[in-house]
Amino acid sequence: MNDGQGRVARAGGRGARRAMRAAPDFEMLPALKRGLPECEPMTPEQVARIDDASMSILEEVGVIFRDDIALADWRRAGARVVGDRVYLDREMVRDLISTIPSGWTYRARNADRSLPFGGRHSIFVPMTGAPFLRDLDDVRRWPTIGDLNMFHKLSHMSPALHSSAHHIVEPMDVKVSHRHLHITYSSMKYSDKTFMGMTTSGKNAEDVMAMCEILFGREVMEETPVTTGNCNGNSPLVWDETMLSAMRAFIRRNQPVLCSPFVLGGANTPASVAPAVAQLNAEALSALAYTQVIRKGAPAIYGHYLSTVSMKSGAPMAGTPEISLMNFMIGQMARFYGVPWRTSNLLGGAKTFDAQAGYESAMTMNAVLHAGANYIWHSAGWNEAGMHCSVAKFVVDAEICAMGYRMAEGPRWDDFEAGLAAVRDIGPGGHYLGHPHTLENFERAFFMPRLFDNNSIEQWQAEGSVEITARALAHARALLRDYEEPKLDAGVDEALRDFIARREREIPAEDALNTEY
Amino acid sequence: MNDGQGRVARAGGRGARRAMRAAPDFEMLPALKRGLPECEPMTPEQVARIDDASMSILEEVGVIFRDDIALADWRRAGARVVGDRVYLDREMVRDLISTIPSGWTYRARNADRSLPFGGRHSIFVPMTGAPFLRDLDDVRRWPTIGDLNMFHKLSHMSPALHSSAHHIVEPMDVKVSHRHLHITYSSMKYSDKTFMGMTTSGKNAEDVMAMCEILFGREVMEETPVTTGNCNGNSPLVWDETMLSAMRAFIRRNQPVLCSPFVLGGANTPASVAPAVAQLNAEALSALAYTQVIRKGAPAIYGHYLSTVSMKSGAPMAGTPEISLMNFMIGQMARFYGVPWRTSNLLGGAKTFDAQAGYESAMTMNAVLHAGANYIWHSAGWNEAGMHCSVAKFVVDAEICAMGYRMAEGPRWDDFEAGLAAVRDIGPGGHYLGHPHTLENFERAFFMPRLFDNNSIEQWQAEGSVEITARALAHARALLRDYEEPKLDAGVDEALRDFIARREREIPAEDALNTEY
C-alpha cells in the first residue's frame, strides 16, 4: 500500500518505517487511481447538446485535412471530401471512435514502472517544449542537451511523475534536424519510466518508432503502448500534414497520440465556453476518428490545449475560471465517448516563480483533477506561458502533484474504527500527539510538504529567510547529487547509439523543422 | 446580470459597455449562486457512518462545557450532565438542530448589499485576527487602527468580497479592553457591506449587539441577521465560557455564530481524516444544538477551522490534501443536517507573498468551492499561518475570489446558439477576433485578471520587471486613492460614538482579554 508521498508502507512496524524515512526514497508512485467523483457541470441533456452541435459541425461545416494521404484515406473510408475539406457523418464518427480502447497498460523500460491507464487511472507527465529554461541558478537562458538530461534525471527522481516525457526543454545546441534523436535517447537513458515520442514530422516520428523498437521490440509494441505522441490541431477545424504524418507513424505501430486541438479562447474559438467546447469536441473527434481509419482498434487519446487569451497582450493565460470550466466539460465529453483524455497541468504565465505562478498552477491542477483527466501533461516546470521551464518550479510542481495525487485518491476508511477508539481513549480536553494511534499513523495520515516552509518567522529568519525558489533549487541540486542512472542494457544502448549515428549521416541537415508546441 | 468580475451588464450595447469599462467599478457582486455540483467523496452509507460515530461520541464520551450557565441550560433541556461533562442523546441533538434555518438574508447597512445566504448561496469574507500586517511597503509590523480602517476600505472596494469582517488586523494601538468597540465602528463606518461581530467575551459581544441595535434597530435584527460571530471550540470536545457567553449574546438577539471546532489534524484529532471529521462533527453538533437551547429557531452556522500540523514545527499548514478532503466531507455532513456551513479560504503558511503562498491559497480556494461552503471566511490576506495579513495578498486574493466566483457559477448556456453560429460563419482556418460575436462577448466570456501579468517577457522587462507583490501594492494604493466613504447617517454616527465613549468610561481597562483566533 502506497501512501501517496512516494513511501510504500511495509510490514515491520515503527522501526522499519523510521529507517525507511531516513533514506531518500525516489520510488515512483503507482498510476493514480482516482477516488473522488468527477466535477460534472453538465446535465446529460447538455452533454447531448454539445455532442449534437459537434456532430453538426462535422457534417455541415467540415474539417480541413491539409494532407493528401489523409484526404485519400478519408475518401476510401467513405467520407465526403470537397477540396481539402472533409465532411463526416455522425454515424461514421461514432462507428470509428467506437474501436478506440478505453484504457491500456503503458509499458515502461522498467516493467515495475508500467502503468495502467484510462478510466479512473491518471498519470502525471512533466511539461515539454520550452525554448528557454530558468536553470539551477534561476538564470533564464537557452537550454542545452545537458539541461534536458538534467530534467530527465529530475523526472526520474520525482515519485509523482510517471514519465520523463520528451523535450522538456529544447536542446538548442543540437541541430534541429537531429534533435528528435537525442531527445528520445535522453528520455530512454536517464529514466526507466514511460516517456513521450517526438512528433515534429512524419520522418522524425518514424525515427522515434525505430528507437522504441530497439528498446522494446516490435512484439511488445504490438501488444501494448510504450510511448505517446502529441498532435496539435490548428483551431478552428484544421489538421496539417506535419501532425497527420506523425500521427500515422505512431498509430500504425499501435502507439497512441494525443489528438489536441489548440484552443486560444476567443481567438480561434467563439468567445463563450460552451460553444468553444463544441468546436474543440468536433476537432478532437475528427482526429480520433482518423486514428481508426489509419488502424482500427489503435489506442488514441482525446486531447486539447486550453487557454484564454489576454486582452492586453494576446498571450495565452493560465488558471482562469473558463479554463477550469472547459476542463470539467471536456472530461464529461471524453467519458461520454469512452475515450481516455489528456489535459495540461500546473500552468503558469508568470515571468518568475512568484505568487502568480503558484496561484495559476494550483488552480490548474485542481481543475484537472476534479475534471478526472487521464493523461495529465505539463505537470512540472511550466511558467511564462510555456516559454520557459523552471528548475525550481519543476521540483515544487512535482511535490504539488504528489499532494494532488493524495487528494484525488479520496479519503481512507481502513483505520476509521481505530481512529474512533483513539477519540474514546483521549476524551475531551486531551491531546493526541503521544497516543499510539497517532505515532503509528501520523506520517501516513497527513502529507508533509518538503518544499513549503511551515516554520515560525523567527525560525525562518534564523535560517536565512530562504524563499521557495532558493529552497527548491537547493533541493534540485541535492536530488541530482543522489541521482543513480538506471542503466540501459549495454547492447540496447549500443544499438540506439548506432541508430542515431546512422540517421545523423542520412538526414540532410536542412530538411527538418521543429513545429511542435 | 452580473458577469462575475464586478461589472453589471446593462442594456445599451457596446458603447455603454465601453464607457462602463473605462470607469473603475467597485460594485459588489451579488452573493455567489453556485452552479457546479459539489465534490462529495462519501457514499450515503459513509455519511451515515460519520453521523453514527459522532452521535456515539456525544452519547458515550460527552462534551465538556466549561461554563456554569451552559451546564444549567443543558440540565434544564434534559441532557445528562456529570460534572462539566454533557452527554447528548442523538434524538435530542437531531431534534434541537432541526430548528436551525437552512438559510436567511444577511441585512447590510446598504440594503442593496444584503445577501441571500445558505443552500447554493455562498459569500466571501476577508481574513481576520492577524496580529501583524505586511503593509503598503511590504514591511511586516504591528497594525494600528489606521491599518484596520485601510483593510475595511479595501474590503469595501473589492467586488467579490461580501463583507468587511471585523478585526482583519489587531489594532495594537487601541487598548485591548476597548478594541472591540473601535473594530466594530471601523467595520460599520468604512464599508456598507455586511460585517462580523467580535466574540472576545460575553460582555464584548453584548457591546457589539448594542452597536448593531444603534445601526439597524432591534426590529430589523429580530427579523433577519445583520452580523456573524465566531465561536471556536477547544478540540477535542471542549467549549469554554468565553465563547459560550459570546454565543449567548449573539444567539439571543437572533444573530448567527459560526460553531467552529479548531482542528490541528493529529494534534487535537486522531491522525486520520475520517475519524477527525467524526470528532469535529460531534463538536460542531454539540454547539449547534446549544444555540437552539439558547433560542429555538435562531440562525447558526456549522463551522470549523481545519489544518494539519507540520511534523517539523508543530505549526498549522495550509493547502494540504487532507484539508481539502476534510472540507469535502464536512460539506456533505452540513448538507446532511441541512445547516449552512463555514470554511476558511485562501490560507497561506508562507512568510512572504511567494509561490508557496500562491499554491497554498489556490489549493484552499478550489477545495472550499468544490466542497460547496456557504460562509467562506479568511478569503483575503491570510499568510504566515494567520500571523500576518498582507496588503499585497489581500488585493490579489480578492481578485482570486472573483475568479473562483466565476468558476463556481458554472458554464453559461444562454449564448450557445449564437456561439455556434459564429463557428459556421468563421469556418475552418479562420479567426474569431474581429467577428461581431467575439466583439460583443469577449470581455463577458473570459475573466481577465488585472493583477496577473500576461505580457511577453520583453514587455515585462521593458516595464521594469515588476513582480506580483509590487503590482499588487500599487493597485492597493490606487484603490485607496479612489476610495469614497459610504457615509453613515449623521445621527447614527453620533449615537455610535456616544456609545463607544460611554463604554470606554465604564469598562475597567483590565477586565478584558482578547482570545479569539
Side-chain angles (χ1 to χ4, degrees), chain A residues 430-508:
Chain A
H431 62 88
Y432 288 79
L433 284 175
H435 191 274
H437 179 267
T438 309
L439 295 172
E440 197 64 21
N441 289 280
F442 191 76
E443 268 194 274
R444 190 172 63 133
F446 300 119
F447 193 99
M448 296 290 143
R450 290 173 197 168
L451 297 174
F452 284 1
D453 183 285
N454 284 296
N455 289 330
S456 68
I457 186 119
E458 293 77 14
Q459 183 66 24
W460 180 73
Q461 287 167 337
E463 291 175 3
S465 302
V466 184
E467 287 193 35
I468 193 167
T469 302
R471 280 200 303 278
L473 292 174
H475 181 67
R477 285 178 198 280
L479 285 176
L480 293 169
R481 274 195 300 274
D482 285 340
Y483 173 75
E484 285 173 36
E485 188 178 317
K487 294 286 185 203
L488 277 167
D489 171 87
V492 168
D493 195 7
E494 197 185 334
L496 287 169
R497 288 169 178 275
D498 286 350
F499 176 81
I500 293 170
R502 174 167 69 78
R503 289 296 294 140
E504 286 193 337
R505 288 191 301 274
E506 291 169 0
I507 297 170

Side-chain angles (χ1 to χ4, degrees), chain B residues 399-451:
Chain B
E399 178 162 74
I400 298 287
C401 288
M403 293 172 75
Y405 185 110
R406 176 78 73 92
M407 178 187 82
E409 284 183 305
R412 294 169 50 210
W413 288 90
D414 57 305
D415 68 344
F416 187 62
E417 295 303 329
L420 292 180
V423 176
R424 287 167 193 275
D425 258 18
I426 300 291
H431 62 87
Y432 287 80
L433 285 175
H435 190 275
H437 179 267
T438 310
L439 296 172
E440 195 64 20
N441 289 281
F442 191 76
E443 267 194 274
R444 190 172 64 134
F446 300 118
F447 193 98
M448 296 290 143
R450 289 174 198 169
L451 297 174

Side-chain angles (χ1 to χ4, degrees), chain A residues 387-399:
Chain A
M387 289 298 287
H388 78 250
C389 180
S390 153
V391 175
K393 188 168 187 290
F394 191 96
V395 295
V396 174
D397 283 347
E399 179 162 73

Side-chain angles (χ1 to χ4, degrees), chain A residues 48-77:
Chain A
R49 203 168 166 197
I50 295 278
D51 173 63
D52 177 61
S54 301
M55 294 299 187
S56 299
I57 291 169
L58 293 174
E59 288 169 340
E60 296 159 29
V61 181
V63 179
I64 290 180
F65 284 75
R66 290 202 179 118
D67 175 64
D68 289 339
I69 298 174
L71 292 172
D73 286 343
W74 275 124
R75 267 188 222 101
R76 260 195 310 278

Side-chain angles (χ1 to χ4, degrees), chain A residues 60 359 397 406 424 454, chain B residues 60 313 322 359 397 424 454:
Chain A
E60 296 159 29
Y359 284 106
D397 283 347
R406 176 78 73 93
R424 287 166 193 274
N454 284 296
Chain B
E60 297 159 29
S313 66
E322 295 79 20
Y359 284 105
D397 283 348
R424 287 167 193 275
N454 284 296

Side-chain angles (χ1 to χ4, degrees), chain A residues 27-49:
Chain A
E27 198 51 51
M28 190 184 82
L29 292 168
L32 165 63
K33 188 158 182 206
R34 300 190 318 279
L36 291 185
E38 291 89 2
C39 178
E40 303 208 317
M42 293 193 287
T43 62
E45 293 68 32
Q46 288 168 329
V47 169
R49 203 168 166 197

